[in-house]
């Protein structure tokens, strides 16, 4: 199930959403040195990704070593204050980047429209921090030393905000059914509800090893970001979009 676009035109040019997309793309290709057919270097991901171990063991850091990762009394690595933000603009592959940017474009422009540019920047970054906190809380064992990278936690906050603001919006969606596909327009609550249910189920299923058990997906980062968006969107969003369809008036038959 791949969303293609929603049916709510924005009132203002989504400058911040576009800047975030450009920043993520440039970070992947120019800073991480990732490519179409190959991902970024492991050392880059380890140095600037978010590693729960470094929070749970203050004063210790993790480095790339011998094709793996070693954690302990290491100096010279970026602090957790740095990696909390750099990790939000890093990705592990071109598909990881493309999927995140697609969701950010479809749902981010309307959320930006609802609160304005400065507030959207703050909302997005705080949502990303909430996502890191969610994954860090459940990381255990080897999962403590697995770097977290990607914009999906911050984008999950955008999705949580969107479903509160625009529950009756409709999303043009591409469905794959084995070898066949179809394109239909369905309510945003269904698209985002199914997405969140997947994160919750796979996250709970992989609790014994939240990152490794999830096939390299930090599901609790998505869950943490989504709940942040659900709970705090009203504190940020103030602008009403006249293009959003009003709730149908209730009627009573005589």
């Amino acid at each position: 199930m791949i969303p293609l676009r929603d049916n709510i035109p924005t009132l203002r040019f989504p400058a911040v959403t576009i800047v975030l997309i450009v920043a993520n793309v440039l970070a992947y290709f120019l800073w991480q040195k990732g490519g179409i057919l190959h991902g970024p270097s492991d050392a880059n991901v380890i140095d600037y990704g978010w590693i729960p171990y470094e929070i749970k063991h203050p004063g210790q850091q993790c480095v790339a070593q011998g094709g793996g990762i070693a954690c302990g009394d290491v100096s010279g690595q970026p602090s957790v204050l740095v990696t909390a933000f750099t990790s939000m603009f890093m990705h592990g592959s071109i598909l990881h980047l493309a999927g995140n940017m697609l969701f950010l474009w479809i749902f981010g422009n309307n959320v930006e429209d609802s609160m304005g540019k400065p507030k959207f920047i703050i909302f997005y970054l705080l949502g990303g921090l909430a996502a890191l906190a969610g994954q860090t809380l459940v990381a255990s064992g080897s999962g403590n030393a697995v770097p977290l990278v990607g914009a999906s936690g911050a984008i999950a906050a955008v999705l949580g905000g969107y479903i509160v603001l625009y529950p009756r919006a409709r999303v043009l969606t591409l469905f794959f059914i084995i070898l066949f596909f179809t394109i239909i327009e369905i309510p945003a609550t269904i698209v985002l509800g199914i997405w969140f249910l997947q994160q919750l189920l796979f996250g709970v299923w992989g609790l014994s090893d939240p990152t490794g058990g999830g096939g390299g997906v930090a599901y609790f980062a998505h869950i943490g970001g989504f709940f942040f968006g659900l709970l705090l969107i009203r504190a940020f969003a103030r602008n009403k979009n006249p293009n959003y369809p009003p709730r149908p008036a209730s009627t009573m038959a005589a």
Side-chain angles (χ1 to χ4, degrees):
M1 185 176 68
I2 302 175
L4 302 176
R5 61 174 173 82
D6 68 356
N7 68 337
I8 307 177
T10 56
L11 300 178
R12 288 162 286 273
F13 184 71
V16 173
T17 299
I18 291 175
V19 167
L20 287 172
I21 292 172
V22 170
N24 277 276
V25 171
L26 291 179
Y28 179 77
F29 286 105
L30 300 184
W31 177 42
Q32 292 188 261
K33 306 298 183 184
I36 302 295
L37 301 179
H38 64 87
S41 71
D42 290 340
N44 177 278
V45 170
I46 293 170
D47 286 346
Y48 291 96
W50 173 265
I51 301 178
Y53 180 94
E54 296 178 350
I55 285 291
K56 297 186 175 184
H57 299 80
Q60 299 192 30
Q61 294 182 307
C62 300
V63 296
Q65 187 177 88
I69 184 170
C71 300
D73 295 322
V74 180
S75 61
Q77 292 297 96
S79 72
V80 292
L81 293 177
V82 173
T83 59
F85 293 99
T86 56
S87 63
M88 295 184 206
F89 294 88
M90 302 175 69
H91 290 83
S93 70
I94 190 65
L95 290 178
H96 186 202
L97 172 68
N100 278 345
M101 295 306 100
L102 175 64
F103 272 76
L104 179 56
W105 171 247
I106 293 173
F107 302 105
N109 55 4
N110 291 111
V111 175
E112 177 183 342
D113 216 19
S114 74
M115 62 182 68
K117 296 169 178 53
K119 285 185 180 180
F120 184 62
I121 295 172
I122 296 171
F123 178 82
Y124 182 89
L125 294 176
L126 289 180
L129 295 178
L132 294 177
Q135 187 64 27
T136 301
L137 285 174
V138 300
S140 61
S142 61
N144 273 317
V146 175
L148 275 65
V149 296
S152 53
I155 295 170
V158 172
L159 303 186
Y162 187 99
I163 203 171
V164 171
L165 295 175
Y166 308 112
R168 297 184 303 283
R170 301 186 71 82
V171 180
L172 192 67
T173 307
L174 175 64
F175 271 96
F176 285 96
I177 307 172
I178 308 177
L179 298 179
F180 303 95
F181 70 90
T182 185
I183 297 177
I184 59 174
E185 195 174 68
I186 59 179
T189 49
I190 293 179
V191 175
L192 299 181
I194 290 175
W195 176 87
F196 179 71
L197 184 60
Q198 288 177 325
Q199 313 312 304
L200 192 59
L201 291 177
F202 282 116
V204 172
W205 186 20
L207 266 178
S208 60
D209 188 2
T211 300
V217 179
Y219 290 109
F220 280 92
H222 301 169
I223 294 169
F226 193 82
F227 272 117
F228 173 89
L230 282 177
L231 297 174
L232 292 182
I233 185 62
R234 294 297 186 189
F236 287 85
R238 290 289 185 270
N239 304 325
K240 293 185 178 181
N241 191 328
N243 296 311
Y244 178 58
R247 185 183 301 276
S250 58
T251 60
M252 181 178 296

PDB file of all heavy atoms in Angstrom, residues 59-95:
ATOM      1  N   GLY A  59      29.100   8.713  29.168  1.00  0.00           N
ATOM      2  CA  GLY A  59      30.555   8.789  29.130  1.00  0.00           C
ATOM      3  C   GLY A  59      31.189   7.792  28.186  1.00  0.00           C
ATOM      4  O   GLY A  59      32.388   7.885  27.904  1.00  0.00           O
ATOM      5  N   GLN A  60      30.400   6.836  27.695  1.00  0.00           N
ATOM      6  CA  GLN A  60      30.929   5.859  26.762  1.00  0.00           C
ATOM      7  C   GLN A  60      30.350   6.114  25.365  1.00  0.00           C
ATOM      8  O   GLN A  60      29.249   6.636  25.230  1.00  0.00           O
ATOM      9  CB  GLN A  60      30.606   4.442  27.222  1.00  0.00           C
ATOM     10  CG  GLN A  60      31.211   4.106  28.577  1.00  0.00           C
ATOM     11  CD  GLN A  60      31.138   2.619  28.887  1.00  0.00           C
ATOM     12  OE1 GLN A  60      31.174   1.779  28.004  1.00  0.00           O
ATOM     13  NE2 GLN A  60      31.039   2.311  30.180  1.00  0.00           N
ATOM     14  N   GLN A  61      31.120   5.736  24.353  1.00  0.00           N
ATOM     15  CA  GLN A  61      30.715   5.952  22.971  1.00  0.00           C
ATOM     16  C   GLN A  61      31.001   4.721  22.134  1.00  0.00           C
ATOM     17  O   GLN A  61      31.709   3.809  22.565  1.00  0.00           O
ATOM     18  CB  GLN A  61      31.435   7.173  22.389  1.00  0.00           C
ATOM     19  CG  GLN A  61      31.044   8.493  23.042  1.00  0.00           C
ATOM     20  CD  GLN A  61      31.744   9.671  22.406  1.00  0.00           C
ATOM     21  OE1 GLN A  61      32.962   9.692  22.287  1.00  0.00           O
ATOM     22  NE2 GLN A  61      30.966  10.665  21.987  1.00  0.00           N
ATOM     23  N   CYS A  62      30.426   4.724  20.927  1.00  0.00           N
ATOM     24  CA  CYS A  62      30.579   3.588  20.023  1.00  0.00           C
ATOM     25  C   CYS A  62      31.270   4.035  18.742  1.00  0.00           C
ATOM     26  O   CYS A  62      31.032   5.137  18.238  1.00  0.00           O
ATOM     27  CB  CYS A  62      29.217   2.982  19.688  1.00  0.00           C
ATOM     28  SG  CYS A  62      28.308   2.367  21.134  1.00  0.00           S
ATOM     29  N   VAL A  63      32.126   3.148  18.197  1.00  0.00           N
ATOM     30  CA  VAL A  63      32.860   3.446  16.967  1.00  0.00           C
ATOM     31  C   VAL A  63      32.825   2.233  16.057  1.00  0.00           C
ATOM     32  O   VAL A  63      32.591   1.100  16.493  1.00  0.00           O
ATOM     33  CB  VAL A  63      34.332   3.822  17.249  1.00  0.00           C
ATOM     34  CG1 VAL A  63      34.414   5.106  18.047  1.00  0.00           C
ATOM     35  CG2 VAL A  63      35.035   2.679  17.983  1.00  0.00           C
ATOM     36  N   ALA A  64      33.053   2.478  14.768  1.00  0.00           N
ATOM     37  CA  ALA A  64      33.187   1.384  13.811  1.00  0.00           C
ATOM     38  C   ALA A  64      34.531   0.709  14.038  1.00  0.00           C
ATOM     39  O   ALA A  64      35.558   1.364  14.189  1.00  0.00           O
ATOM     40  CB  ALA A  64      33.099   1.929  12.391  1.00  0.00           C
ATOM     41  N   GLN A  65      34.514  -0.621  14.065  1.00  0.00           N
ATOM     42  CA  GLN A  65      35.753  -1.354  14.322  1.00  0.00           C
ATOM     43  C   GLN A  65      35.688  -2.743  13.686  1.00  0.00           C
ATOM     44  O   GLN A  65      34.788  -3.526  13.990  1.00  0.00           O
ATOM     45  CB  GLN A  65      35.996  -1.471  15.822  1.00  0.00           C
ATOM     46  CG  GLN A  65      37.339  -2.080  16.203  1.00  0.00           C
ATOM     47  CD  GLN A  65      37.539  -2.100  17.702  1.00  0.00           C
ATOM     48  OE1 GLN A  65      37.141  -3.042  18.391  1.00  0.00           O
ATOM     49  NE2 GLN A  65      38.164  -1.042  18.228  1.00  0.00           N
ATOM     50  N   GLY A  66      36.615  -3.011  12.815  1.00  0.00           N
ATOM     51  CA  GLY A  66      36.718  -4.333  12.211  1.00  0.00           C
ATOM     52  C   GLY A  66      35.467  -4.797  11.509  1.00  0.00           C
ATOM     53  O   GLY A  66      35.100  -5.965  11.606  1.00  0.00           O
ATOM     54  N   GLY A  67      34.798  -3.917  10.814  1.00  0.00           N
ATOM     55  CA  GLY A  67      33.577  -4.293  10.113  1.00  0.00           C
ATOM     56  C   GLY A  67      32.359  -4.370  11.011  1.00  0.00           C
ATOM     57  O   GLY A  67      31.272  -4.718  10.563  1.00  0.00           O
ATOM     58  N   GLY A  68      32.527  -4.027  12.291  1.00  0.00           N
ATOM     59  CA  GLY A  68      31.412  -4.042  13.230  1.00  0.00           C
ATOM     60  C   GLY A  68      31.390  -2.765  14.036  1.00  0.00           C
ATOM     61  O   GLY A  68      31.807  -1.701  13.578  1.00  0.00           O
ATOM     62  N   ILE A  69      30.928  -2.867  15.276  1.00  0.00           N
ATOM     63  CA  ILE A  69      30.838  -1.700  16.140  1.00  0.00           C
ATOM     64  C   ILE A  69      31.342  -2.076  17.529  1.00  0.00           C
ATOM     65  O   ILE A  69      31.073  -3.169  18.032  1.00  0.00           O
ATOM     66  CB  ILE A  69      29.386  -1.184  16.207  1.00  0.00           C
ATOM     67  CG1 ILE A  69      29.301   0.098  17.025  1.00  0.00           C
ATOM     68  CG2 ILE A  69      28.431  -2.245  16.745  1.00  0.00           C
ATOM     69  CD1 ILE A  69      27.949   0.783  16.920  1.00  0.00           C
ATOM     70  N   ALA A  70      32.124  -1.181  18.121  1.00  0.00           N
ATOM     71  CA  ALA A  70      32.656  -1.402  19.467  1.00  0.00           C
ATOM     72  C   ALA A  70      32.278  -0.219  20.336  1.00  0.00           C
ATOM     73  O   ALA A  70      32.371   0.937  19.911  1.00  0.00           O
ATOM     74  CB  ALA A  70      34.172  -1.559  19.408  1.00  0.00           C
ATOM     75  N   CYS A  71      31.849  -0.503  21.563  1.00  0.00           N
ATOM     76  CA  CYS A  71      31.420   0.549  22.485  1.00  0.00           C
ATOM     77  C   CYS A  71      32.245   0.482  23.759  1.00  0.00           C
ATOM     78  O   CYS A  71      32.563  -0.601  24.252  1.00  0.00           O
ATOM     79  CB  CYS A  71      29.939   0.394  22.824  1.00  0.00           C
ATOM     80  SG  CYS A  71      28.834   0.482  21.395  1.00  0.00           S
ATOM     81  N   GLY A  72      32.589   1.640  24.282  1.00  0.00           N
ATOM     82  CA  GLY A  72      33.356   1.687  25.524  1.00  0.00           C
ATOM     83  C   GLY A  72      33.894   3.079  25.764  1.00  0.00           C
ATOM     84  O   GLY A  72      33.286   4.074  25.357  1.00  0.00           O
ATOM     85  N   ASP A  73      35.045   3.152  26.418  1.00  0.00           N
ATOM     86  CA  ASP A  73      35.668   4.446  26.726  1.00  0.00           C
ATOM     87  C   ASP A  73      36.405   4.948  25.492  1.00  0.00           C
ATOM     88  O   ASP A  73      37.620   4.759  25.347  1.00  0.00           O
ATOM     89  CB  ASP A  73      36.629   4.298  27.914  1.00  0.00           C
ATOM     90  CG  ASP A  73      35.888   3.938  29.178  1.00  0.00           C
ATOM     91  OD1 ASP A  73      34.787   4.463  29.380  1.00  0.00           O
ATOM     92  OD2 ASP A  73      36.412   3.117  29.961  1.00  0.00           O
ATOM     93  N   VAL A  74      35.652   5.545  24.606  1.00  0.00           N
ATOM     94  CA  VAL A  74      36.199   6.051  23.353  1.00  0.00           C
ATOM     95  C   VAL A  74      36.017   7.561  23.320  1.00  0.00           C
ATOM     96  O   VAL A  74      34.993   8.084  23.771  1.00  0.00           O
ATOM     97  CB  VAL A  74      35.469   5.419  22.142  1.00  0.00           C
ATOM     98  CG1 VAL A  74      36.043   5.959  20.834  1.00  0.00           C
ATOM     99  CG2 VAL A  74      35.573   3.903  22.191  1.00  0.00           C
ATOM    100  N   SER A  75      36.992   8.261  22.804  1.00  0.00           N
ATOM    101  CA  SER A  75      36.891   9.717  22.718  1.00  0.00           C
ATOM    102  C   SER A  75      36.891  10.153  21.257  1.00  0.00           C
ATOM    103  O   SER A  75      37.271   9.390  20.369  1.00  0.00           O
ATOM    104  CB  SER A  75      38.060  10.378  23.464  1.00  0.00           C
ATOM    105  OG  SER A  75      39.302   9.990  22.883  1.00  0.00           O
ATOM    106  N   GLY A  76      36.462  11.384  21.057  1.00  0.00           N
ATOM    107  CA  GLY A  76      36.517  11.941  19.707  1.00  0.00           C
ATOM    108  C   GLY A  76      35.292  11.723  18.857  1.00  0.00           C
ATOM    109  O   GLY A  76      35.225  12.201  17.715  1.00  0.00           O
ATOM    110  N   GLN A  77      34.280  11.033  19.377  1.00  0.00           N
ATOM    111  CA  GLN A  77      33.058  10.802  18.616  1.00  0.00           C
ATOM    112  C   GLN A  77      32.064  11.944  18.861  1.00  0.00           C
ATOM    113  O   GLN A  77      32.092  12.588  19.904  1.00  0.00           O
ATOM    114  CB  GLN A  77      32.412   9.473  19.027  1.00  0.00           C
ATOM    115  CG  GLN A  77      33.217   8.237  18.614  1.00  0.00           C
ATOM    116  CD  GLN A  77      33.324   8.131  17.106  1.00  0.00           C
ATOM    117  OE1 GLN A  77      34.295   8.555  16.508  1.00  0.00           O
ATOM    118  NE2 GLN A  77      32.295   7.575  16.471  1.00  0.00           N
ATOM    119  N   PRO A  78      31.149  12.189  17.918  1.00  0.00           N
ATOM    120  CA  PRO A  78      30.124  13.221  18.130  1.00  0.00           C
ATOM    121  C   PRO A  78      29.287  12.897  19.360  1.00  0.00           C
ATOM    122  O   PRO A  78      29.003  11.732  19.646  1.00  0.00           O
ATOM    123  CB  PRO A  78      29.281  13.143  16.850  1.00  0.00           C
ATOM    124  CG  PRO A  78      30.176  12.515  15.838  1.00  0.00           C
ATOM    125  CD  PRO A  78      31.042  11.559  16.589  1.00  0.00           C
ATOM    126  N   SER A  79      28.901  13.920  20.107  1.00  0.00           N
ATOM    127  CA  SER A  79      28.108  13.716  21.317  1.00  0.00           C
ATOM    128  C   SER A  79      26.678  13.350  20.956  1.00  0.00           C
ATOM    129  O   SER A  79      26.230  13.539  19.823  1.00  0.00           O
ATOM    130  CB  SER A  79      28.110  14.983  22.166  1.00  0.00           C
ATOM    131  OG  SER A  79      27.312  15.991  21.543  1.00  0.00           O
ATOM    132  N   VAL A  80      25.935  12.857  21.945  1.00  0.00           N
ATOM    133  CA  VAL A  80      24.536  12.489  21.717  1.00  0.00           C
ATOM    134  C   VAL A  80      23.699  13.724  21.367  1.00  0.00           C
ATOM    135  O   VAL A  80      22.674  13.610  20.702  1.00  0.00           O
ATOM    136  CB  VAL A  80      23.937  11.767  22.941  1.00  0.00           C
ATOM    137  CG1 VAL A  80      24.579  10.405  23.122  1.00  0.00           C
ATOM    138  CG2 VAL A  80      24.082  12.621  24.207  1.00  0.00           C
ATOM    139  N   LEU A  81      24.136  14.909  21.808  1.00  0.00           N
ATOM    140  CA  LEU A  81      23.419  16.129  21.436  1.00  0.00           C
ATOM    141  C   LEU A  81      23.515  16.384  19.943  1.00  0.00           C
ATOM    142  O   LEU A  81      22.596  16.940  19.329  1.00  0.00           O
ATOM    143  CB  LEU A  81      23.986  17.326  22.213  1.00  0.00           C
ATOM    144  CG  LEU A  81      23.755  17.322  23.722  1.00  0.00           C
ATOM    145  CD1 LEU A  81      24.432  18.534  24.358  1.00  0.00           C
ATOM    146  CD2 LEU A  81      22.260  17.319  24.036  1.00  0.00           C
ATOM    147  N   VAL A  82      24.613  15.992  19.347  1.00  0.00           N
ATOM    148  CA  VAL A  82      24.796  16.140  17.898  1.00  0.00           C
ATOM    149  C   VAL A  82      24.053  15.044  17.143  1.00  0.00           C
ATOM    150  O   VAL A  82      23.292  15.306  16.211  1.00  0.00           O
ATOM    151  CB  VAL A  82      26.303  16.121  17.538  1.00  0.00           C
ATOM    152  CG1 VAL A  82      26.492  16.088  16.016  1.00  0.00           C
ATOM    153  CG2 VAL A  82      27.008  17.329  18.132  1.00  0.00           C
ATOM    154  N   THR A  83      24.252  13.793  17.561  1.00  0.00           N
ATOM    155  CA  THR A  83      23.666  12.681  16.818  1.00  0.00           C
ATOM    156  C   THR A  83      22.147  12.625  16.927  1.00  0.00           C
ATOM    157  O   THR A  83      21.485  12.038  16.074  1.00  0.00           O
ATOM    158  CB  THR A  83      24.263  11.339  17.283  1.00  0.00           C
ATOM    159  OG1 THR A  83      24.011  11.154  18.688  1.00  0.00           O
ATOM    160  CG2 THR A  83      25.771  11.306  17.044  1.00  0.00           C
ATOM    161  N   ALA A  84      21.582  13.256  17.975  1.00  0.00           N
ATOM    162  CA  ALA A  84      20.122  13.306  18.079  1.00  0.00           C
ATOM    163  C   ALA A  84      19.521  13.996  16.861  1.00  0.00           C
ATOM    164  O   ALA A  84      18.421  13.643  16.417  1.00  0.00           O
ATOM    165  CB  ALA A  84      19.713  14.041  19.355  1.00  0.00           C
ATOM    166  N   PHE A  85      20.253  14.958  16.308  1.00  0.00           N
ATOM    167  CA  PHE A  85      19.736  15.694  15.156  1.00  0.00           C
ATOM    168  C   PHE A  85      20.304  15.182  13.831  1.00  0.00           C
ATOM    169  O   PHE A  85      19.587  15.092  12.835  1.00  0.00           O
ATOM    170  CB  PHE A  85      20.025  17.185  15.322  1.00  0.00           C
ATOM    171  CG  PHE A  85      19.258  17.807  16.462  1.00  0.00           C
ATOM    172  CD1 PHE A  85      19.857  18.005  17.698  1.00  0.00           C
ATOM    173  CD2 PHE A  85      17.926  18.176  16.309  1.00  0.00           C
ATOM    174  CE1 PHE A  85      19.147  18.557  18.759  1.00  0.00           C
ATOM    175  CE2 PHE A  85      17.205  18.725  17.365  1.00  0.00           C
ATOM    176  CZ  PHE A  85      17.820  18.916  18.592  1.00  0.00           C
ATOM    177  N   THR A  86      21.584  14.823  13.804  1.00  0.00           N
ATOM    178  CA  THR A  86      22.149  14.322  12.539  1.00  0.00           C
ATOM    179  C   THR A  86      21.466  13.030  12.101  1.00  0.00           C
ATOM    180  O   THR A  86      21.264  12.802  10.906  1.00  0.00           O
ATOM    181  CB  THR A  86      23.664  14.087  12.674  1.00  0.00           C
ATOM    182  OG1 THR A  86      23.924  13.197  13.775  1.00  0.00           O
ATOM    183  CG2 THR A  86      24.394  15.401  12.895  1.00  0.00           C
ATOM    184  N   SER A  87      21.083  12.194  13.071  1.00  0.00           N
ATOM    185  CA  SER A  87      20.457  10.915  12.721  1.00  0.00           C
ATOM    186  C   SER A  87      19.135  11.103  11.989  1.00  0.00           C
ATOM    187  O   SER A  87      18.724  10.238  11.213  1.00  0.00           O
ATOM    188  CB  SER A  87      20.233  10.074  13.985  1.00  0.00           C
ATOM    189  OG  SER A  87      19.334  10.712  14.879  1.00  0.00           O
ATOM    190  N   MET A  88      18.447  12.235  12.240  1.00  0.00           N
ATOM    191  CA  MET A  88      17.148  12.488  11.601  1.00  0.00           C
ATOM    192  C   MET A  88      17.283  12.777  10.112  1.00  0.00           C
ATOM    193  O   MET A  88      16.280  12.743   9.392  1.00  0.00           O
ATOM    194  CB  MET A  88      16.460  13.683  12.250  1.00  0.00           C
ATOM    195  CG  MET A  88      16.071  13.516  13.692  1.00  0.00           C
ATOM    196  SD  MET A  88      15.171  15.002  14.238  1.00  0.00           S
ATOM    197  CE  MET A  88      15.509  14.965  15.992  1.00  0.00           C
ATOM    198  N   PHE A  89      18.496  13.072   9.649  1.00  0.00           N
ATOM    199  CA  PHE A  89      18.696  13.434   8.250  1.00  0.00           C
ATOM    200  C   PHE A  89      19.531  12.382   7.511  1.00  0.00           C
ATOM    201  O   PHE A  89      19.998  12.628   6.408  1.00  0.00           O
ATOM    202  CB  PHE A  89      19.366  14.807   8.157  1.00  0.00           C
ATOM    203  CG  PHE A  89      18.490  15.924   8.653  1.00  0.00           C
ATOM    204  CD1 PHE A  89      18.492  16.291  10.000  1.00  0.00           C
ATOM    205  CD2 PHE A  89      17.634  16.593   7.800  1.00  0.00           C
ATOM    206  CE1 PHE A  89      17.665  17.306  10.465  1.00  0.00           C
ATOM    207  CE2 PHE A  89      16.805  17.614   8.250  1.00  0.00           C
ATOM    208  CZ  PHE A  89      16.822  17.969   9.587  1.00  0.00           C
ATOM    209  N   MET A  90      19.676  11.215   8.123  1.00  0.00           N
ATOM    210  CA  MET A  90      20.467  10.144   7.534  1.00  0.00           C
ATOM    211  C   MET A  90      19.566   8.979   7.155  1.00  0.00           C
ATOM    212  O   MET A  90      18.515   8.773   7.756  1.00  0.00           O
ATOM    213  CB  MET A  90      21.540   9.677   8.522  1.00  0.00           C
ATOM    214  CG  MET A  90      22.487  10.766   8.971  1.00  0.00           C
ATOM    215  SD  MET A  90      23.641  10.189  10.239  1.00  0.00           S
ATOM    216  CE  MET A  90      24.656   9.052   9.279  1.00  0.00           C
ATOM    217  N   HIS A  91      19.997   8.209   6.155  1.00  0.00           N
ATOM    218  CA  HIS A  91      19.219   7.050   5.718  1.00  0.00           C
ATOM    219  C   HIS A  91      20.140   5.893   5.351  1.00  0.00           C
ATOM    220  O   HIS A  91      21.305   6.108   5.008  1.00  0.00           O
ATOM    221  CB  HIS A  91      18.313   7.423   4.543  1.00  0.00           C
ATOM    222  CG  HIS A  91      17.191   8.335   4.937  1.00  0.00           C
ATOM    223  ND1 HIS A  91      17.343   9.696   5.042  1.00  0.00           N
ATOM    224  CD2 HIS A  91      15.906   8.060   5.312  1.00  0.00           C
ATOM    225  CE1 HIS A  91      16.204  10.242   5.438  1.00  0.00           C
ATOM    226  NE2 HIS A  91      15.325   9.283   5.621  1.00  0.00           N
ATOM    227  N   GLY A  92      19.593   4.694   5.446  1.00  0.00           N
ATOM    228  CA  GLY A  92      20.398   3.508   5.218  1.00  0.00           C
ATOM    229  C   GLY A  92      20.431   3.029   3.790  1.00  0.00           C
ATOM    230  O   GLY A  92      21.285   2.209   3.430  1.00  0.00           O
ATOM    231  N   SER A  93      19.509   3.496   2.951  1.00  0.00           N
ATOM    232  CA  SER A  93      19.465   3.077   1.550  1.00  0.00           C
ATOM    233  C   SER A  93      18.615   4.056   0.764  1.00  0.00           C
ATOM    234  O   SER A  93      17.898   4.886   1.350  1.00  0.00           O
ATOM    235  CB  SER A  93      18.868   1.661   1.429  1.00  0.00           C
ATOM    236  OG  SER A  93      17.472   1.690   1.739  1.00  0.00           O
ATOM    237  N   ILE A  94      18.656   3.950  -0.547  1.00  0.00           N
ATOM    238  CA  ILE A  94      17.866   4.841  -1.393  1.00  0.00           C
ATOM    239  C   ILE A  94      16.374   4.570  -1.219  1.00  0.00           C
ATOM    240  O   ILE A  94      15.550   5.494  -1.273  1.00  0.00           O
ATOM    241  CB  ILE A  94      18.288   4.693  -2.882  1.00  0.00           C
ATOM    242  CG1 ILE A  94      17.651   5.791  -3.732  1.00  0.00           C
ATOM    243  CG2 ILE A  94      17.947   3.314  -3.403  1.00  0.00           C
ATOM    244  CD1 ILE A  94      18.107   7.179  -3.417  1.00  0.00           C
ATOM    245  N   LEU A  95      15.987   3.317  -0.984  1.00  0.00           N
ATOM    246  CA  LEU A  95      14.573   3.007  -0.763  1.00  0.00           C
ATOM    247  C   LEU A  95      14.085   3.577   0.565  1.00  0.00           C
ATOM    248  O   LEU A  95      12.957   4.047   0.671  1.00  0.00           O
ATOM    249  CB  LEU A  95      14.347   1.492  -0.812  1.00  0.00           C
ATOM    250  CG  LEU A  95      14.493   0.838  -2.191  1.00  0.00           C
ATOM    251  CD1 LEU A  95      14.284  -0.672  -2.080  1.00  0.00           C
ATOM    252  CD2 LEU A  95      13.505   1.436  -3.184  1.00  0.00           C
TER     253      LEU A  95
END
